[in-house]
Amino acid sequence: MSSHATAVDARGLQVGYRNGRDAVTILSDVDLTVPTGEFLTILGPSGCGKSTLLRVIANLLDPLGGQISVLGGAPEVARRSRKTGFVFQDATLLPWRSVLQNIRLPAVVGGHQAQPLSDSRVAEIIDLLGLSGLEDRYPSQLSGGQRQRVAIARALVDEPDILLMDEPFGALDEITRDRLNDELLSIWRDTGKTILFVTHSIEEAVYLGQRIMVLGANPGRILNLQDLRAIKTETNACKREDPAIVAEIAAQRELLARAS
Amino acid sequence: MSRTTTILAPIFGAVSILAAWQFLLPLSGVPAYIAPTPTKIFSVFFTQSDLILSNFVPTATEALAGFFFGNLAAVFFAILFAYAKFVRMAYFPVVLFFNTIPILALSPIIILIFGLGMTPKIIIAAIICFFPTLVNMLRGLQSATANEEELFRMLSATRFETFLRLHLPRSLPMLFSSLRIATATAVIGAIVGEWIGADKGLGALIIQATFNYQSDKLYAAIVASSSLSIALFAMVALAERWVMRGWSK
Ligand SMILES: Nc1ncnc2c1ncn2[C@@H]1O[C@H](COP(=O)(O)OP(=O)(O)O)[C@@H](O)[C@H]1O
Ligand SMILES: [Mg+2]
């Protein structure tokens, strides 16, 4: 657990890509405060800049302007001290490493950031993600859902405070995705991590988030930041068929349709 | 199809062609100094095994040494070009130009410089192996996906760690595919070198046998050189299976 009350704080943030001297702004005027321990979902149409925003928070990309702090400091400090973990849509497992070796990757690279991982910690994370018995398999021998579990295990194994997830379940079938949604919620309850979860699925965004941030394109901006706690339990649980949840999904769909 | 059929079908194919060759050739009236029968070629390996072996060993040595040094240099330069951008920009075009010179045009110069021993043949075989491996290995070193690069950046991996744990493994499939091709080209390089100037080796034997109308020796030399390629290929395939045993099953 971090001692900072704020996990991510952005003021007038501009994100985009530099191309030589030119800069293409993708999202502008992003004002966002994410308290520690929150589960925030980020929803928006394809190409609106969700990944770009996440990459700025992860310090994989420099912002074009404005202010951004992660755990009270620069995003680079958080990345270098392994306070932020990243999960990619395609899992990005190394095909020449077994499940166990993929999970241990953070202990193998990273210069002096690479801390030895105890066997008990690795066993704990394998157990948490339900990967027992698959340790010696290679990525090509896993299902899509199992690969994402390994990717999450690798991101969590050296205990980051913030987990940035870029459409991690976007390529999975609906049944697997629903199950992984529930498992992710349970991991979040157990570990108290801050999670920023990008998705283009309205149902997934409403089901998972304590708050939901909706982005719009042309011009890229925050369309809406909505608190969902009123329609969920204390532990951020809800039923998919609950009328309040169904109504919320419809409202978000309406909002996105109107904006585009 | 069953496993035995998969193995037996190509053997049946080869045996049927050899049998047709053996029995139809005498009926066709083609003189023996142009095309000997398979049994006649095969018997050379027993009746003149010293001749075959004493010519096989130099060619095998040249091909193996050329394969080793050519590919080793290619891997070294690929790594250099992959990480030293200026060196790549300055010298890659030179290498590209060098590659456009036909090896047959280059070989006489190399023989002139290095004489008639094994050295020029090793150099020719090495040059033939060098370029495809350089290009493949360089492309392989640069073939990590954007997400993989970002994963390593997330973990604050050093440049050396990224090379060792990401770029090098990523380059292996492409390296091995060019090594497999190089097993054949290294043998071609050694034989071409021997054609231009040598008194021993399978290339020299091919030339002598041709001029003396000794077709059984000529064909035996051809069989010996393709066996050499096959043996090299098998060694590379074994090494590949061992190195890449974890990749996919
Ligand atoms: N490396 C890049 N250079 C320039 N433009 C990019 C780059 N990556 C993405 N973009 C552009 O930025 C926009 C937002 O991309 P992205 O953040 O990936 O969208 P999302 O994740 O919401 O689908 C897109 O229009 C895309 O074409
Ligand atoms: Mg994206």
Side-chain angles (χ1 to χ4, degrees):
Chain A
M1 264 275 155
S2 165
S3 53
H4 295 277
T6 308
V8 178
D9 194 51
R11 292 286 139 237
L13 184 68
Q14 303 238 97
V15 306
Y17 294 92
R18 280 198 185 82
N19 192 351
R21 230 176 273 166
D22 299 331
V24 184
T25 304
I26 307 288
L27 283 174
S28 43
D29 302 318
V30 176
D31 291 312
L32 173 69
T33 305
V34 184
T36 300
E38 180 170 278
F39 199 134
L40 175 78
T41 48
I42 301 171
L43 175 66
S46 180
C48 72
K50 305 181 294 294
S51 298
T52 310
L53 176 63
L54 223 51
R55 294 173 70 237
V56 166
I57 297 169
N59 183 236
L60 292 170
L61 184 70
D62 288 329
L64 294 180
Q67 259 122 52
I68 168 91
S69 73
V70 176
L71 298 167
E76 182 175 1
V77 176
R79 174 178 64 79
R80 289 208 166 275
S81 53
R82 298 268 176 96
K83 294 283 169 53
T84 36
F86 204 102
V87 179
F88 301 90
Q89 172 169 2
D90 72 347
T92 314
L93 304 181
L94 304 180
W96 53 91
R97 296 178 80 90
S98 68
V99 166
L100 190 66
Q101 290 168 328
N102 266 288
I103 293 174
R104 296 197 76 106
L105 185 72
V108 174
V109 302
H112 43 82
Q113 284 309 323
Q115 307 272 324
L117 282 170
S118 69
D119 287 345
S120 62
R121 172 61 191 155
V122 175
E124 188 187 356
I125 205 81
I126 283 174
D127 193 44
L128 184 67
L129 271 301
L131 291 166
S132 303
L134 302 177
E135 293 89 338
D136 295 327
R137 291 229 194 149
Y138 284 85
S140 61
Q141 301 167 307
L142 301 176
S143 69
Q146 288 168 336
R147 271 183 227 144
Q148 282 303 347
R149 287 171 210 261
V150 178
I152 295 170
R154 181 181 60 196
L156 284 176
V157 76
D158 57 1
E159 315 234 25
D161 291 333
I162 304 174
L163 198 53
L164 304 169
M165 308 180 82
D166 192 358
E167 303 195 31
F169 309 143
L172 302 181
D173 64 88
E174 215 171 323
I175 298 163
T176 309
R177 193 185 66 190
D178 287 352
R179 192 163 69 228
L180 281 170
N181 279 344
D182 288 324
E183 287 178 21
L184 182 64
L185 278 174
S186 128
I187 289 169
W188 172 77
R189 284 181 201 114
D190 290 349
T191 60
K193 308 277 179 217
T194 309
I195 297 183
L196 275 66
F197 185 102
V198 163
T199 176
H200 60 240
S201 154
I202 302 171
E203 289 85 357
E204 192 175 40
V206 170
Y207 186 70
L208 288 178
Q210 290 178 301
R211 279 199 302 161
I212 174 171
M213 178 165 84
V214 183
L215 301 180
N218 308 314
R221 65 198 189 286
I222 298 180
L223 283 180
N224 191 28
L225 198 55
Q226 170 111 13
D227 205 314
L228 300 175
R229 271 170 278 223
I231 56 171
K232 297 192 172 185
T233 70
E234 198 104 319
T235 57
N236 191 28
C238 65
K239 289 211 156 46
R240 290 176 206 276
E241 64 280 4
D242 180 336
I245 294 295
V246 174
E248 186 60 42
I249 291 169
Q252 296 296 338
R253 180 165 285 129
E254 177 79 1
L255 173 76
L256 276 163
R258 249 189 294 118
S260 59
Chain B
M1 212 188 283
S2 81
R3 210 182 136 78
T4 30
T5 319
T6 328
I7 296 169
L8 288 181
I11 294 176
F12 173 80
V15 169
S16 67
I17 289 173
L18 287 175
W21 182 353
Q22 178 75 33
F23 295 111
L24 296 180
L25 188 72
L27 303 178
S28 72
V30 176
Y33 64 83
I34 290 181
T37 56
T39 45
K40 197 134 181 285
I41 299 168
F42 200 57
S43 70
V44 175
F45 286 93
F46 294 96
T47 57
Q48 304 184 65
S49 56
D50 286 353
L51 176 78
I52 297 293
L53 199 65
S54 65
N55 287 295
F56 180 86
V57 170
T59 307
T61 312
E62 292 154 8
L64 206 63
F67 179 87
F68 179 77
F69 290 113
N71 288 306
L72 191 69
V75 168
F76 173 81
F77 278 100
I79 293 170
L80 184 69
F81 284 170
Y83 297 99
K85 197 170 166 214
F86 182 81
V87 177
R88 177 172 73 240
M89 291 192 324
Y91 293 106
F92 198 53
V94 180
V95 175
L96 282 173
F97 167 75
F98 195 70
N99 181 54
T100 61
I101 305 173
I103 191 72
L104 278 169
L106 202 59
S107 304
I109 305 174
I110 295 169
I111 306 263
L112 272 181
I113 299 173
F114 294 97
L116 293 177
M118 279 199 194
T119 316
K121 285 91 184 176
I122 293 173
I123 291 172
I124 293 166
I127 289 175
I128 272 200
C129 296
F130 176 79
F131 190 78
T133 301
L134 171 71
V135 172
N136 262 302
M137 178 83 187
L138 183 58
R139 197 177 300 156
L141 286 169
Q142 295 170 332
S143 69
T145 65
N147 281 353
E148 286 168 348
E149 299 284 355
E150 293 198 326
L151 169 68
F152 275 67
R153 197 172 132 77
M154 253 347 267
L155 295 171
S156 310
T158 62
R159 265 164 75 92
F160 180 70
E161 287 168 344
T162 309
F163 162 72
L164 190 68
R165 306 282 183 190
L166 178 59
H167 298 161
L168 191 62
R170 265 273 165 251
S171 73
L172 292 180
M174 296 186 86
L175 173 64
F176 275 110
S177 80
S178 102
L179 290 186
R180 266 185 268 127
I181 296 165
T183 57
T185 53
V187 175
I188 292 172
I191 288 177
V192 164
E194 289 166 354
W195 279 355
I196 294 168
D199 47 11
K200 52 184 169 82
L202 293 172
L205 183 62
I206 287 171
I207 298 277
Q208 284 163 23
T210 307
F211 289 145
N212 296 326
Y213 294 102
Q214 294 165 316
S215 65
D216 52 346
K217 272 194 217 161
L218 170 62
Y219 280 67
I222 293 170
V223 171
S225 38
S226 93
S227 313
L228 176 57
S229 296
I230 293 170
L232 276 175
F233 188 94
M235 278 161 55
V236 170
L238 271 178
E240 178 174 13
R241 265 204 18 207
W242 185 76
V243 171
M244 313 238 321
R245 59 198 178 285
W247 271 77
S248 56
K249 255 169 257 163

